[in-house]
Amino acid sequence: MNSGQRSVSLNPLHLSADQMRALGYRVIDLIVDHFESLRDKPVTRFADRAFLEQRLREPIPEHGADPAGLLYRIETEVLNQIMHLDHPRFFAYVPGPGNFVSVMADALAAGFNVFSGSWLESSGAAMIELVTIDWLRQLCGFPETAAGLFLSGGSIANLSALAIAREIKLKGHNAQATLYFSDQTHSSVTRAAKILGFLPSQIRVIQSDPDYRLSLADLETRVAEDRNAGCFPFCVVGNAGTTNTGAVDSFPEIAEFCRAEGLWLHADAAYGGGAVICDKGRARLQGIAGVDSLTLDPHKWLFQPYEMGCLLVREAAWLGETFKIISDYGKDEELGDQHINFCDLGIQLTRRFSALKLWLSLKTFGLGAFRTAVERGIDLAEFAEAVLSECSKCEVVSPARLGIVTFRYAGGGKRSLKVLNELNRAIVFRLIEEKFAMLSTTELGGMVVLRFCIINPATTQTDIRETVDLIVRLGDELSSEYPD
Ligand SMILES: Cc1ncc(COP(=O)(O)O)c(C=O)c1O
C-alpha cells in the first residue's frame, strides 16, 4: 500500500476520519457551550432513582447506534442531571472549578492513551510529571531531596502517605503502633488507617481547640501516655486547611515536637494546599515545608478537572522503599535511577497522564493568573464574612479562612440548638430546590452550620450578596415551621 491509500479497516471499533471529526467537534461544542452558559445554568440538579431508572436502564446493546443521537441523550438525560460544581455559585463541599485548557489536555492524554507508569513507555510524559511535581515541590518549600507523584485525589494521597509512614517508621510492626490527628481531620484519613489495618484502638482522635486546630499540648499528653502504656506512637496527621472551616494546624510547633519524638508528620493540604501560591495563603500555611509528607489536590484549588491529587514526600527514596516491586515481565523497563518509573512510586501500575493538564494550564495562563485566582477566593470569603456579620439574621461561626466561612441562620429569635440545627439543614434542602446557589452544612461542636467554600475565580461579590439574601429569605419562610 502506498502512503496515499487507506486500507479498509477490519477493526470493528474503527471510525473514519470524518466520523471522528464530526463526533469530536460536537463534543468540543458541547464543552464550550457548557463553559459559556454555566453562569446561567441552574446550580443544583438531581433526579431520583426511579426517574433515572426509567430513562437510562436498558439492556446491553448488541448493535451500535449513531453517536450524535447518543450525545444528545447524554446531554439531556445525564449531564442535565448533575450539580455543577464548577458553577460560580456552587459553594458546597469543595467546589471544582476547572479550566478549558486542562480539559483539552485530558482529551490529549486520553487520545494518545499515554501510559504514565514507566519511562520506557512514556518518557516524555514522565519528564513532564517530574517537572510539574518539582514546581509543586518548590511552591511548598520542600527540599531538593523531595519527590512526589500525581494520584487520583486526596483520599489516595492520604492512603499512600500513611502507607509510607508505616513502612518507614514501623517496618511492618504494627500491633502497638498509634497515630494521632484532630477531630477536624478528613474522613479519608480514618479510612486510610482502616484500610492499612490499624484498629480503632490504635487511632487517637484529639479534640480540636476553640479555633478547630490540633492542640499541641493535648498531642504531647497523649503521646506521653501512650509511650508509658507500651504503645509505639509513629505518626501525626496535621490539617493544612480543614474541610470544615479552613483551619490550619500549627505546623512549625507540631513539626518540632514530631522531630523530637521521632514521629512521622503528614500534612493533609488536599483542600488548602493550593493557597500556597499566594502570599496570604502561604502565610496561613506556615510550616508545611517542615512535614515528611503532604497531600495537595490540584483538582481542588489549582483548578484542574477531576481526578488529580498529588503526594509529596521529603525524601524521594521513601516512595520506592514503600512501593517498588519489580515483576518478571517488567525487567526491561529498568533503565537506571535517572529514568523514573512512576509505577514504582505509588499504588498504580497503569496511570493516566494527569500531569499534562496542570503543566499545560500553568504554561498557558502562567502562575500569576493562578495566584490571582486563588487570592480572589480568599478575598471573597472575607467579603462573605463581612456581609454575614452585617446581617441581623445570621451568625458567623468561624471566620473566613482559606476561602471558607461558616455561619448559621439564627433569625434573631431564641430557638433551641436542636431547632436551629433542623432549620439550617432545612435551608439547604430549600436551596437545592431553588437551584440558584448551593451550600452544604457541617457540624461544629454539635452546631449545624452553613458553609461557604469560595474557590471559584468566576464568583463575584454580587453572587455572594444574592446568595446570602436568598438564605435569609428561605430562613424567614421556614421560620414558622421551626418555632422558638
Ligand atoms: C482536607 C481534605 N482531605 C482529603 C480529601 C479527600 O480528597 P478526594 O475527594 O480528592 O479523595 C478532601 C476532600 O474534600 C479534603 O477536603
Side-chain angles (χ1 to χ4, degrees), residues 46-62:
F46 81 101
D48 64 27
R49 175 75 182 256
F51 177 89
L52 290 176
E53 282 282 345
Q54 206 185 19
R55 274 158 187 79
L56 293 170
R57 173 77 59 192
E58 50 195 8
I60 183 164
E62 178 59 27

Side-chain angles (χ1 to χ4, degrees), residues 225-467:
E225 282 171 3
D226 284 337
R227 287 204 197 284
N228 286 337
C231 298
F232 188 81
F234 84 103
C235 178
V236 175
V237 179
N239 292 304
T242 64
T243 324
N244 275 348
T245 66
V248 178
D249 293 336
S250 6
F251 281 98
E253 292 78 20
I254 295 172
E256 201 183 313
F257 170 72
C258 287
R259 262 194 302 277
E261 292 281 330
L263 304 175
W264 186 278
L265 177 56
H266 173 64
D268 182 0
Y271 163 69
V276 78
I277 68 176
C278 71
D279 289 346
K280 257 189 188 173
R282 200 174 317 113
R284 279 239 168 256
L285 294 165
Q286 207 201 346
I288 57 163
V291 304
D292 295 303
S293 55
L294 178 134
T295 289
L296 188 164
D297 280 354
H299 71 197
K300 294 190 169 73
W301 217 349
L302 289 178
F303 315 108
Q304 300 305 309
Y306 304 129
E307 302 171 350
M308 191 176 196
C310 166
L311 175 68
L312 295 178
V313 294
R314 219 173 170 71
E315 294 294 335
W318 291 338
L319 295 170
E321 276 177 53
T322 306
F323 295 111
K324 184 166 180 173
I325 294 171
I326 304 171
S327 63
D328 289 344
Y329 72 86
K331 289 191 178 144
D332 22 305
E333 298 191 318
E334 293 297 302
L335 302 180
D337 289 350
Q338 284 302 303
H339 300 112
I340 304 289
N341 290 329
F342 275 93
C343 68
D344 294 336
L345 310 188
I347 296 168
Q348 283 175 270
L349 167 58
T350 301
R351 306 170 66 243
R352 57 188 303 163
F353 184 20
S354 288
L356 187 64
K357 55 188 165 190
L358 185 57
W359 183 87
L360 189 65
S361 52
L362 276 168
K363 291 288 283 180
T364 302
F365 296 113
L367 182 62
F370 277 73
R371 189 180 299 119
T372 307
V374 169
E375 274 164 357
R376 214 179 141 65
I378 294 178
D379 292 346
L380 279 172
E382 287 167 8
F383 175 77
E385 182 188 344
V387 171
L388 289 162
S389 304
E390 281 163 17
C391 170
S392 58
K393 304 263 174 92
C394 294
E395 293 170 1
V396 173
V397 177
S398 68
R401 274 187 300 217
L402 290 180
I404 297 177
V405 56
T406 68
F407 65 102
R408 63 179 181 171
Y409 172 89
K414 290 196 169 50
R415 292 177 180 82
S416 67
L417 176 67
K418 184 171 173 292
V419 172
L420 272 181
N421 284 353
E422 286 165 7
L423 172 54
N424 279 276
R425 278 200 200 287
I427 287 173
V428 167
F429 286 104
R430 285 294 310 278
L431 266 180
I432 294 172
E433 284 165 13
E434 292 279 330
K435 301 182 170 57
F436 178 77
M438 176 68 188
L439 277 82
S440 46
T441 60
T442 191
E443 287 182 30
L444 295 173
M447 188 190 291
V448 172
V449 297
L450 297 164
R451 188 176 150 280
F452 256 122
C453 182
I454 310 171
I455 61 171
N456 190 327
T459 304
T460 63
Q461 292 190 350
T462 307
D463 288 323
I464 308 275
R465 276 195 191 285
E466 289 180 352
T467 301

Side-chain angles (χ1 to χ4, degrees), residues 9-286:
S9 177
L10 296 177
N11 177 359
L13 305 183
H14 170 86
L15 293 182
S16 71
D18 285 346
Q19 286 172 317
M20 282 192 274
R21 287 205 171 85
L23 177 57
Y25 293 156
R26 181 70 198 119
V27 169
I28 295 288
D29 281 344
L30 279 176
I31 297 171
V32 172
D33 287 350
H34 171 68
F35 272 78
E36 286 290 292
S37 62
L38 186 52
R39 174 168 276 289
D40 304 320
K41 287 187 180 181
V43 180
T44 56
R45 265 215 180 151
F46 81 101
D48 64 27
R49 175 75 182 256
F51 177 89
L52 290 176
E53 282 282 345
Q54 206 185 19
R55 274 158 187 79
L56 293 170
R57 173 77 59 192
E58 50 195 8
I60 183 164
E62 178 59 27
H63 302 288
D66 175 23
L70 295 172
L71 273 186
Y72 180 73
R73 278 194 68 195
I74 292 171
E75 191 186 354
T76 53
E77 293 176 1
V78 181
L79 298 177
N80 267 357
Q81 305 297 349
I82 61 170
M83 287 200 190
H84 295 303
L85 276 70
D86 44 357
H87 194 290
R89 287 188 304 277
F90 186 94
F91 303 115
Y93 315 110
V94 178
N99 75 88
F100 187 77
V101 170
S102 293
V103 174
M104 292 299 95
D106 261 355
L108 269 179
F112 282 76
N113 211 13
V114 181
F115 173 87
S116 270
S118 76
W119 191 275
L120 181 69
E121 285 159 278
S122 295
S123 50
M127 195 62 220
I128 290 290
E129 184 155 357
L130 284 177
V131 168
T132 317
I133 284 285
D134 200 55
W135 290 345
L136 294 182
R137 174 193 72 75
Q138 291 173 40
L139 288 165
C140 292
F142 268 42
E144 283 186 10
T145 54
L149 75 166
F150 293 115
L151 298 156
S152 59
S155 301
I156 299 297
N158 284 337
L159 172 65
S160 306
L162 290 195
I164 298 165
R166 182 179 69 165
E167 181 72 24
I168 303 302
K169 289 288 178 192
L170 302 178
K171 302 280 181 232
H173 301 295
N174 291 358
Q176 256 58 53
T178 44
L179 93 135
Y180 304 78
F181 47 82
S182 86
D183 57 10
Q184 295 300 299
T185 303
H186 192 266
S187 53
S188 59
V189 174
T190 307
R191 187 188 296 129
K194 186 175 173 190
I195 293 169
L196 292 170
F198 294 106
L199 300 172
S201 58
Q202 295 176 276
I203 299 170
R204 306 283 180 263
V205 179
I206 297 174
Q207 197 184 349
S208 52
D209 70 13
D211 273 339
Y212 307 105
R213 290 152 41 116
L214 178 64
S215 151
L216 180 60
D218 289 352
L219 174 66
E220 288 170 344
T221 307
R222 290 306 295 271
V223 168
E225 282 171 3
D226 284 337
R227 287 204 197 284
N228 286 337
C231 298
F232 188 81
F234 84 103
C235 178
V236 175
V237 179
N239 292 304
T242 64
T243 324
N244 275 348
T245 66
V248 178
D249 293 336
S250 6
F251 281 98
E253 292 78 20
I254 295 172
E256 201 183 313
F257 170 72
C258 287
R259 262 194 302 277
E261 292 281 330
L263 304 175
W264 186 278
L265 177 56
H266 173 64
D268 182 0
Y271 163 69
V276 78
I277 68 176
C278 71
D279 289 346
K280 257 189 188 173
R282 200 174 317 113
R284 279 239 168 256
L285 294 165
Q286 207 201 346

